Amino acid sequence: MIILKKITLLKAVISRQRVAHNTIGFIPTMGALHEGHLALVKKALEKCHFVIASIYVNPAQFNNQEDFKKYPITLEEDILKLIRTGCHAVFLPHTNELYPNGIENLAHYPLGFIESILEGEHRPGHFQGVCNVVDRLLQAVKPDYLFLGEKDAQQCKVITKMLALTNQMIPVEIVPTKRANSGLALSSRNKRLSDIGLTKAAALYRSLLFVKKNLIYGDNSRLLEVAKAELIQAGFDSVDYIAIAKEEDLSDATNWNGKDPVYILGAAYIEGVRLIDNTHFVS
Ligand code: AMP
């Protein structure tokens, strides 16, 4: 596997692939890799000749400095996992490389409504930071396909919008969420949980399944309140949201019309760690 730190070298490697008419698949990550990330790499290997992942903990997308400082970093293990999975290259940029003018005064993407709801509401500025880093990475890699995880369903929508706003015609492949046997969605942040916390954290997915199972035509606000209360009962410290949203644009579907496909999404804190998850429902 080729390890790249400089954009100039990255571009040289990519252009050799282009000359050979190889298709390029790209997987942006923040590292502390797990089977969820590797599922994206595997999907990319099925679809593309040359697969490149990036590992970069993007300071511009953290609205909470404590969360940034505590973000797990396991670079050597990550590189081994990528090699074993068959990834062809990994890009490990330094901040100076991606943000030569620093992380202040970044580009602003007119994302509209999608960045003011759910994650956007609870993490102001987060999606602008995500768009800035992904846009910069894409400018460097210029892949044929971009691979994203459905675990971050809203991020998938935001990045798709950013691609449209910046006229980048890159198809996005969305890969289903990988879970532990308990149902807990794999996440780098799970590494910060104690064994007890990990067991309790599975309640987040259970609560989403509970909403899915009991979803009714009409007003589901009472159901959402019960699901939130159950999360607290199960040991979560606080709940940012449990929501029902239209699959199409993530607009609120608490008042469900009985036919629109929806996501049921949740974000909650346990042991000071913020976890998110979602499940999809088609009637
Ligand atoms: P992150 O390193 O958390 O920024 O995630 C990098 C990519 O991996 C994103 O597209 C995520 O949606 C995806 N991802 C994270 N966790 C999972 C998971 N459990 N299953 C599938 N994809 C995931």
Side-chain angles (χ1 to χ4, degrees):
M1 185 174 71
I2 312 168
I3 298 179
L4 299 152
K5 295 191 173 175
K6 298 281 177 201
I7 291 178
T8 45
L9 287 178
L10 168 80
K11 285 187 170 166
V13 168
I14 297 290
S15 64
R16 278 185 64 169
Q17 296 301 321
R18 292 261 168 248
V19 170
H21 299 289
N22 285 341
T23 51
I24 292 155
F26 177 52
I27 303 110
T29 84
M30 297 209 297
L33 301 183
H34 49 66
E35 285 299 323
H37 297 111
L38 300 180
L40 271 64
V41 174
K42 287 174 193 165
K43 186 78 192 169
L45 285 167
E46 278 170 32
K47 196 144 183 125
C48 303
H49 299 107
F50 189 82
V51 173
I52 174 161
S54 64
I55 299 178
Y56 177 65
V57 185
N58 174 33
Q61 73 185 68
F62 284 84
N63 54 313
N64 175 336
Q65 279 311 300
E66 206 49 30
D67 190 28
F68 176 55
K69 279 191 218 139
K70 289 186 176 165
Y71 202 85
I73 293 176
T74 58
L75 193 54
E76 283 183 20
E77 289 166 43
D78 291 353
I79 289 172
L80 280 175
K81 285 177 185 171
L82 289 173
I83 292 173
R84 286 193 196 116
T85 310
C87 193
H88 300 107
V90 64
F91 182 41
L92 309 173
H94 190 270
T95 294
N96 297 339
E97 196 67 11
L98 277 185
Y99 297 105
N101 301 319
I103 61 163
E104 308 300 323
N105 305 317
L106 295 177
H108 183 269
Y109 299 80
L111 298 168
F113 157 81
I114 190 79
E115 75 165 326
S116 63
I117 55 166
L118 303 166
E119 287 302 281
E121 182 185 347
H122 292 274
R123 302 185 67 188
H126 168 64
F127 286 128
Q128 290 295 329
V130 169
C131 285
N132 265 280
V133 77
V134 174
D135 197 4
R136 282 156 201 255
L137 289 165
L138 292 175
Q139 295 301 331
V141 179
K142 297 207 182 301
D144 296 291
Y145 292 92
L146 174 63
F147 294 83
L148 300 173
E150 195 176 25
K151 172 170 174 287
D152 298 280
Q154 190 175 5
Q155 176 169 273
C156 294
K157 303 267 183 220
V158 163
I159 292 176
T160 304
K161 174 108 196 230
M162 181 275 286
L163 292 174
L165 288 169
T166 54
N167 293 317
Q168 299 182 79
M169 313 294 178
I170 304 169
V172 175
E173 292 279 323
I174 298 177
V175 179
T177 305
K178 281 272 172 193
R179 301 181 177 280
N181 290 337
S182 64
L184 174 65
L186 300 184
S187 163
S188 304
R189 288 187 176 84
N190 293 351
K191 292 197 165 72
R192 290 175 49 200
L193 297 176
S194 70
D195 287 348
I196 294 174
L198 273 175
T199 308
K200 288 183 178 170
L204 178 55
Y205 186 49
R206 282 203 300 276
S207 77
L208 301 179
L209 293 180
F210 169 78
V211 173
K212 176 149 119 175
K213 189 164 164 241
N214 293 289
L215 195 65
I216 53 164
Y217 168 82
D219 183 13
N220 286 279
S221 45
R222 174 84 194 113
L223 176 61
L224 294 178
E225 286 312 314
V226 173
K228 281 186 216 166
E230 286 197 347
L231 264 188
I232 300 293
Q233 188 71 31
F236 272 78
D237 311 324
S238 63
V239 181
D240 272 356
Y241 59 85
I242 301 278
I244 304 161
K246 268 197 210 175
E247 183 208 85
E248 192 187 15
D249 59 2
L250 295 186
S251 61
D252 185 52
T254 307
N255 222 321
W256 187 49
N257 65 8
K259 50 178 199 287
D260 284 342
V262 291
Y263 274 116
I264 297 143
L265 310 101
Y269 285 86
I270 185 161
E271 295 182 342
V273 179
R274 188 173 185 278
L275 301 181
I276 64 169
D277 199 356
N278 67 73
T279 184
H280 192 228
F281 178 73
V282 184
S283 63

